[in-house]
Amino acid sequence: MAIFITGGARSGKSGFAEAYAAKLAKQGIYVATSQAWDEEMKERTARHRQDRKQSGYPWRTIEEPLALAELLARLEGEHAGEPERPVVLVDCLTLWLTNWLLRVDHGPDDERDADPHRYDELHAEAEKLTAAVAAYTGPLLLVTNEVGSGIVPAYPLGRRFRDEAGRLNRKLAAICGEAYLVVAGIPLDLKKHAFAFDED
């Protein structure tokens, strides 16, 4: 079953995801989607890896910045049928989205603006990821960021990121069995409190 976990920066969503993972399985696979572009990011990545090591929970870390759908399909094949499957924790979807957005949004502004299909690859990858999550039968936690609650970004790529993140979060939350919003370290069960229209 897939579990969707969202929240703002430093809300405690990753800590909640890791604690939840420890209750779902005796061991876990931590899928890190970040790319270390600078020294601060390298230090942050190393610190997170050390924190997981010191937690005492047996994590196996896989770094995968782009081919997330393919990785989930491979892990499904490797562990299908096992009586005690490891929990898979993806942290995080918005970094994965950033990696793809930067990959497809390249070149001079006038060339990008003239190409109406430049985001087709990004949308295709989002569909592939959604299908891979839906097909995954083991315990799976997806961590993402809630980025649409602040001011409208002042630049086009920032606005594109905000919109694409919102669309991706909606798609994945809809197919996950559970969805949580973490605010100030407190996880809120979104599906439990979701409004439902009356059916005639």
Side-chain angles (χ1 to χ4, degrees):
M1 177 183 68
I3 298 166
F4 182 86
I5 300 169
T6 188
R10 294 292 172 266
S11 62
K13 59 189 180 296
S14 293
F16 169 66
E18 292 176 19
Y20 199 165
K23 291 188 175 295
L24 294 175
K26 294 180 179 179
Q27 56 184 331
I29 299 172
Y30 194 100
V31 180
T33 61
S34 66
Q35 297 187 81
W37 297 111
D38 52 39
E39 287 303 316
E40 188 273 339
M41 197 62 181
K42 290 178 182 177
E43 292 175 4
R44 183 188 295 249
T45 300
R47 186 169 61 250
H48 287 176
R49 188 177 289 119
Q50 186 63 24
D51 289 344
R52 290 195 299 274
K53 185 177 180 180
Q54 292 178 345
S55 72
Y57 186 74
W59 287 109
R60 168 191 166 202
T61 298
I62 299 175
E63 296 182 0
E64 182 46 70
L66 293 168
L68 196 50
E70 291 81 356
L71 174 60
L72 289 177
R74 191 175 81 239
L75 292 174
E76 174 68 18
E78 288 177 3
H79 299 285
E82 292 182 1
E84 292 189 16
R85 294 180 61 165
V87 61
V88 175
L89 194 166
V90 177
D91 196 356
C92 73
L93 294 175
T94 38
L95 281 174
W96 173 85
L97 176 65
T98 298
N99 297 335
W100 271 106
L101 193 56
L102 293 175
R103 177 170 172 156
V104 302
D105 198 280
H106 61 279
D109 289 345
D110 55 345
E111 290 181 11
R112 295 201 312 267
D113 294 341
D115 181 7
H117 303 292
R118 67 187 182 279
Y119 296 111
D120 287 355
E121 186 179 11
L122 171 65
H123 297 151
E125 287 297 324
E127 291 298 327
K128 281 169 53 179
L129 177 58
T130 302
V133 170
Y136 199 81
T137 58
L140 172 64
L141 295 102
L142 305 171
V143 177
T144 188
N145 286 277
E146 205 61 34
V147 299
S149 300
I151 62 174
V152 177
Y155 50 98
L157 186 58
R159 292 191 293 274
R160 168 65 64 172
F161 169 74
R162 179 199 60 172
D163 292 348
E164 297 293 351
R167 293 186 188 105
L168 180 66
N169 284 350
R170 284 169 55 191
K171 284 182 180 181
L172 291 173
I175 63 172
C176 287
E178 299 175 15
Y180 298 93
L181 170 65
V182 183
V183 181
I186 301 172
L188 307 174
D189 190 331
L190 296 176
K191 298 214 171 188
K192 182 178 180 180
H193 298 286
F195 174 81
F197 287 100
D198 293 333
E199 295 184 4
D200 294 332

